[in-house]
Amino acid sequence: INSCEISSQLIKIKFFNRLQFSMEPRPKWTRLLVWSTLGSTIGAGVPCGYCMGVINSPAAHMRAWCEATLLANYGLRLTPATLDTLWALIVSIFLIGGILGSACAGWAANRFGRRGCILLSACLLGVAATGFLSCRLLQSVELLLLSRLVVGFGAGLVSTTLPMYHSEIAALPQRGTLGVCCSVGFSIGIVVAQLCTLESLLGGEQQWHIALGFYLVFMAICFAPFRWYAESPKWLFIVRRRREEALHMLARLRGSDCGLQQEVLAMEQEAASKCRTRSLLEVLRDGKMLLPLLLLCAYQGGQQLSGCSSIFYYSVSIFLGSGLSPRTAEWLNLAAGNVNLLTSLMGPLLMAKFNRRTLMLLSSSCCGLLMFAFGWLVEYGVSIKLIPNFSWCCSLFVCLQRLIPWLSFGSTACVFLYLFFFQLALGPMPSFIGAELFEVPSRSVALSLGNQVGWGCNFLVGFLFPTVHALLGFWVFILFSIFSGLLYLLTKFYLPETRGREVSLVAQLVSRGFHSKVL
């Protein structure tokens, strides 16, 4: 009888909570909120995504320029192996900069504010753009390397601070919609880079340096009115203790002073119970932080280890292996980028309408299955006979294509389907899930650590994938699918539902580590 009474009381509590939630006025999309989100996304997120995708298409022209420049300046004749190493350094030094930027982002976000940290990253991106535009005129490979390092540092700051900024200026029902804006900005930047680096536009032998610095246009437009963007009310209230300024900013973001009691009460409780900010050592020593840190780092690293980089690595080769011309393969690669972008644009709607757990379970499981199918098709339809220089389009494959042409089309379909399911959750969620798991005093440090793991795994996959693929062949894709499966299990048993919940409640759900009852 007691258990029945308790169950009935719980049902009543849930009913009245839902009734109260439905009667609450929906938060307004004020001009300040919309403009701050759009401006910071286009001015910071798009340039960082642009720098990630701009290096691929003009690679042949840039490699030839590096070889000729070193010969003219120092009399160095590079062997093919040495040139490959130099090019790997030019590509991967961006990721090294991202690791360093993420390591400093927690301190910078607390010291200068969320908006100030984004402005700092914009300055770094502007300096790097100047280096890109000047390196060919000055005939300096060193300047190209330095600019890639600086722009990577700025991207590391952005990838940590921008999701934090968006989640802290948003009301609770808006948090999921704004949380994916950083990921959308990166996806837009990649597609814009693919367009700008087409051979007929800025990807030619004489214009590639202009393509590298073209993102400066987006920054000039969006950062001109930057002083009118909103600052995070939570940073002002909890970290800086500037309460009147925080309440004034919160009222401007919500459109009125009405309906702010719940947000103000949550900030007061958090400010009273916590210190201003916590160091990395304090967060690591806190047993309550074990599970949220594991979730954040697993999602950030698993995003890269699920095989998204290898999909992009093989996309052009797969299209060429299907018997298409190089120009058609180039356009299909652009189409794959557009699929990635269009699916990411669905992110704000999906995060507002569906639970985080549901989307992540669907995304991780489908990505794992598609990666397995992709690897099988590549192994048995494309790379039956791998050779050391990765020229796997051999005569044996040509014979197989004539017998079973659906293998190459199946692998092409896997690329598009993988990108679709990847952007449902596995792509956008790692960038903002930390803001929904950690309270403000621990948030900046935790997000910084998570982004370091993400950038580090990105570097490992990008730098080591050719070598590992040469050693393991088909099994490297099985390894990627296993990582997706592990993310599925971690989500199923340990990720609490964060949609529509205050961060303080979520923090309590995961405070007991692996003994937490998150469901």
Side-chain angles (χ1 to χ4, degrees):
I1 296 175
N2 291 335
S3 62
C4 293
E5 292 177 353
I6 292 173
S7 299
S8 64
Q9 291 295 328
L10 289 175
I11 292 173
K12 290 180 181 179
I13 291 172
K14 290 182 179 179
F15 172 76
F16 284 113
N17 284 340
R18 290 180 180 178
L19 181 62
Q20 182 182 4
F21 179 78
S22 63
M23 295 176 61
E24 291 179 355
R26 294 194 175 187
K28 297 179 181 179
W29 290 91
T30 59
R31 291 184 180 180
L32 179 62
L33 178 64
V34 173
W35 178 239
S36 298
T37 304
L38 290 179
S40 58
T41 299
I42 299 174
V46 171
C48 293
Y50 183 95
C51 293
M52 292 180 68
V54 74
I55 203 76
N56 296 324
S57 295
H61 300 308
M62 294 178 66
R63 286 164 64 100
W65 173 80
C66 290
E67 186 177 12
T69 300
L70 291 177
L71 179 61
N73 290 347
Y74 306 107
L76 295 176
R77 293 186 179 275
L78 300 182
T79 63
T82 307
L83 184 59
D84 289 340
T85 303
L86 175 62
W87 182 248
L89 179 61
I90 292 174
V91 173
S92 61
I93 200 171
F94 172 82
L95 304 175
I96 296 174
I99 298 172
L100 298 176
S102 297
C104 301
W107 171 83
N110 287 329
R111 175 66 179 83
F112 303 110
R114 300 355 180 188
R115 187 181 66 170
C117 187
I118 295 173
L119 182 60
L120 174 62
S121 66
C123 295
L124 294 173
L125 293 174
V127 171
T130 305
F132 288 139
L133 295 171
S134 305
C135 65
R136 188 170 180 272
L137 300 176
L138 298 177
Q139 293 295 302
S140 174
V141 178
E142 296 86 352
L143 183 58
L144 174 62
L145 282 167
L146 181 61
S147 300
R148 288 283 294 173
L149 178 65
V150 172
V151 79
F153 193 95
L157 291 176
V158 169
S159 63
T160 303
T161 310
L162 193 59
M164 190 192 318
Y165 173 68
H166 289 161
S167 67
E168 291 180 1
I169 65 174
L172 185 60
Q174 301 167 334
R175 198 173 58 192
T177 303
L178 268 63
V180 299
C181 287
C182 180
S183 176
V184 172
F186 272 68
S187 299
I188 294 174
I190 291 174
V191 174
V192 172
Q194 290 175 337
L195 281 171
C196 290
T197 53
L198 291 174
E199 190 75 22
S200 56
L201 294 178
L202 297 177
E205 183 179 359
Q206 303 297 324
Q207 299 89 18
W208 59 263
H209 63 291
I210 300 176
L212 292 184
F214 186 74
Y215 66 87
L216 200 59
V217 175
F218 300 100
M219 296 179 57
I221 295 174
C222 294
F223 277 98
F226 190 77
R227 59 174 297 185
W228 289 284
Y229 290 178
E231 180 55 275
S232 165
K234 292 188 176 181
W235 177 78
L236 292 172
F237 194 98
I238 298 173
V239 179
R240 286 299 179 185
R241 309 287 183 176
R242 290 148 55 178
R243 304 196 173 190
E244 293 184 2
E245 187 178 349
L247 295 178
H248 176 68
M249 183 62 67
L250 188 62
R252 290 181 60 201
L253 284 168
R254 303 296 175 257
S256 66
D257 294 328
C258 301
L260 302 182
Q261 294 85 355
Q262 187 175 359
E263 286 191 70
V264 174
L265 179 61
M267 289 192 297
E268 287 179 345
Q269 291 176 347
E270 198 167 347
S273 61
K274 305 288 182 181
C275 58
R276 293 189 179 184
T277 57
R278 304 182 70 183
S279 66
L280 177 61
L281 190 59
E282 290 174 335
V283 172
L284 293 176
R285 285 178 174 176
D286 191 349
K288 295 181 179 180
M289 298 288 105
L290 173 62
L291 183 56
L293 276 176
L294 176 64
L295 288 168
L296 177 60
C297 293
Y299 285 136
Q300 287 281 3
Q303 182 189 59
Q304 303 301 325
L305 297 177
S306 65
C308 60
S309 299
S310 66
I311 285 287
F312 284 111
Y313 178 81
Y314 267 95
S315 59
V316 175
S317 300
I318 291 169
F319 299 143
L320 289 173
S322 300
L324 303 173
S325 64
R327 184 174 179 82
T328 305
E330 185 182 47
W331 283 102
L332 270 180
N333 185 45
L334 180 61
N338 279 279
V339 169
N340 186 55
L341 171 61
L342 291 175
T343 312
S344 70
L345 291 175
M346 295 166 53
L349 178 62
L350 292 172
M351 294 300 166
K353 297 295 184 182
F354 298 97
N355 289 340
R356 312 287 193 258
R357 282 175 51 85
T358 303
L359 290 174
M360 180 56 81
L361 289 172
L362 177 64
S363 178
S364 57
S365 60
C366 290
C367 284
L369 293 174
L370 287 166
M371 181 55 65
F372 180 88
F374 172 74
W376 185 87
L377 291 170
V378 167
E379 175 72 8
Y380 293 101
V382 178
S383 56
I384 299 280
K385 184 181 179 181
L386 290 171
I387 55 178
N389 61 358
F390 293 96
S391 299
W392 41 263
C393 295
C394 54
S395 58
L396 180 58
F397 171 61
V398 175
C399 297
L400 282 174
Q401 267 203 306
R402 293 173 181 173
L403 296 174
I404 40 177
W406 59 268
L407 285 176
S408 58
F409 292 107
S411 58
T412 302
C414 283
V415 172
F416 287 91
L417 288 174
Y418 179 91
L419 293 174
F420 175 81
F421 285 105
F422 178 78
Q423 283 296 342
L424 289 184
L426 198 52
M429 263 188 59
S431 64
F432 74 89
I433 193 64
E436 298 184 345
L437 292 173
F438 293 91
E439 296 178 285
V440 172
S442 307
R443 184 175 296 161
S444 58
V445 173
L447 291 183
S448 174
L449 180 61
N451 274 275
Q452 289 178 62
V453 173
W455 283 99
C457 291
N458 193 356
F459 172 77
L460 290 176
V461 173
F463 195 76
L464 298 178
F465 176 74
T467 304
V468 176
H469 182 261
L471 295 174
L472 300 180
F474 158 72
W475 293 101
V476 69
F477 299 105
I478 301 299
L479 188 62
F480 288 145
S481 65
I482 290 174
F483 280 115
S484 296
L486 292 175
L487 288 180
Y488 174 87
L489 295 176
L490 187 67
T491 303
K492 184 174 180 60
F493 294 108
Y494 293 111
L495 178 68
E497 182 51 57
T498 60
R499 174 174 169 257
R501 286 180 172 175
E502 287 289 349
V503 180
S504 57
L505 175 59
V506 177
Q508 292 177 7
L509 289 176
V510 296
S511 61
R512 296 181 60 196
F514 291 106
H515 298 288
S516 302
K517 296 181 180 180
V518 298
L519 302 182

